[in-house]
Amino acid sequence: MSKHSPVVWNVVEPISYDINLPYRGLTAETGRTTNYPDYLPSFDPIFFDPLLVFDFVDPALLVEDKSLPNLITSETKLTSIQPALGTIVEGVQLLDMSNSAKEELALLISQRKAVVFPNQDRFMNAGPTKQQEFMKFFGKPNYQPVSGSVKGHPGFHIIHRDGNKEEIARFLSQKATTTLWHQDVSYEIQPPGYVMLGLLQGPEVGGDTVFAATDLAYKRLSSAFQKLFDNLEAVHSSVKMISQVRERGKLKASL
């Protein structure tokens, strides 16, 4: 190649920052193919004030009887998913829980990190108002200014896949694995203490959600590795996410 020959570079088109966000506008076809059209992501121009520090009393601290008698009854079955992480609770309907049972649920979550409630059709079909009312018991709702939410209910963060298959394929083509880890809004001064994740409609296979107990992982490290990590600092930032959404013109906060 001579010094005057043109140089051709293979430029990879930048990928969207967060795969949880829909990259294409919703269409009428989308509304016809989903069983839950009311939960399609909405990007209404809602602007939130800067988040100030607020007082929070963890409902788990209000539990006096650690046997959890209001949550665990003779009709309740608990199954551990892993020895130190995750519990499946059967025989309990979320819509029927008393405040005392909710406090005990908060304690169980703090102990087991992730708690799963199968067969909650009544709760899932109760609508966003009832669901948001349930979660408000556990603390102040967290509003995501960069993601689609349920129309009229900004406390919902919608993970929607329909209509962006090409973007997802391109995203994964630049990754070494399809397993993606994240920590929910850890960049906030007061990150959410409790998060509810509900699957309305999903594929027959794949799309599994995996949880990890990072505190337990740290405890299992050797003392040498623990000392190494103790001296490290991490920057938790939303700059990339904010920038990506601002470019799309769908930012919902004065940032």
Side-chain angles (χ1 to χ4, degrees):
M1 179 182 295
S2 70
K3 63 179 181 180
H4 299 294
S5 299
V7 177
V8 178
W9 299 94
N10 291 324
V11 179
V12 178
E13 184 181 352
I15 59 176
S16 298
Y17 174 69
D18 188 348
I19 197 172
N20 288 337
L21 303 179
Y23 309 111
R24 296 180 181 173
L26 302 177
T27 65
E29 178 64 20
T30 306
R32 290 192 294 268
T33 57
T34 178
N35 296 330
Y36 296 89
D38 292 341
Y39 288 86
L40 291 174
S42 170
F43 287 89
D44 291 338
I46 304 172
F47 290 85
F48 306 117
D49 294 329
L51 185 61
L52 303 177
V53 176
F54 56 90
D55 293 331
F56 171 68
V57 177
D58 193 330
L61 300 177
L62 304 178
V63 178
E64 297 182 357
D65 189 341
K66 301 304 188 288
S67 68
L68 314 182
N70 298 287
L71 176 65
I72 303 175
T73 67
S74 59
E75 299 178 353
T76 308
K77 178 183 177 182
L78 302 184
T79 304
S80 296
I81 300 175
Q82 292 290 330
L85 174 68
T87 296
I88 300 174
V89 180
E90 298 176 274
V92 174
Q93 288 296 314
L94 296 177
L95 282 180
D96 299 334
M97 292 179 66
S98 65
N99 287 346
S100 296
K102 292 176 185 176
E103 292 172 356
E104 294 174 0
L105 171 58
L107 179 58
L108 180 62
I109 293 173
S110 68
Q111 295 169 339
R112 301 295 299 167
K113 312 301 183 186
V115 178
V116 181
F117 288 86
N119 303 318
Q120 298 295 319
D121 290 347
R122 285 177 54 216
F123 183 83
M124 299 302 286
N125 293 319
T129 299
K130 282 287 187 181
Q131 294 158 357
Q132 184 167 290
E133 179 182 315
F134 178 88
M135 282 306 297
K136 279 186 176 180
F137 180 87
F138 299 92
K140 179 182 175 67
N142 181 269
Y143 298 147
Q144 291 294 301
V146 299
S147 64
S149 58
V150 173
K151 191 174 184 63
H153 297 83
F156 283 73
H157 169 61
I158 301 300
I159 301 175
H160 181 70
R161 287 289 188 269
D162 190 22
N164 56 11
K165 294 180 180 179
E166 294 178 1
E167 177 70 10
I168 292 175
R170 191 163 63 86
F171 182 97
L172 296 176
S173 70
Q174 300 179 42
K175 298 289 183 180
T177 175
T178 58
T179 302
L180 305 173
W181 292 98
H182 76 279
Q183 171 74 37
D184 284 334
V185 291
S186 58
Y187 48 79
E188 291 191 358
I189 297 176
Q190 291 175 274
Y194 297 90
V195 177
M196 172 175 281
L197 178 63
L199 177 63
L200 292 171
Q201 189 173 346
E204 294 183 1
V205 295
D208 296 325
T209 298
V210 181
F211 295 88
T214 53
D215 57 339
L216 182 60
Y218 173 82
K219 293 176 182 177
R220 291 183 175 180
L221 294 173
S222 65
S223 58
F225 266 108
Q226 288 182 350
K227 290 179 181 179
L228 172 63
F229 285 117
D230 289 343
N231 292 323
L232 297 178
E233 293 184 357
V235 176
H236 294 243
S237 172
S238 62
V239 171
K240 289 185 178 180
M241 185 183 297
I242 292 292
S243 299
Q244 189 260 336
V245 178
R246 181 179 280 122
E247 290 177 1
R248 292 167 47 234
K250 293 184 177 180
L251 186 62
K252 299 189 293 181
S254 301
L255 300 175

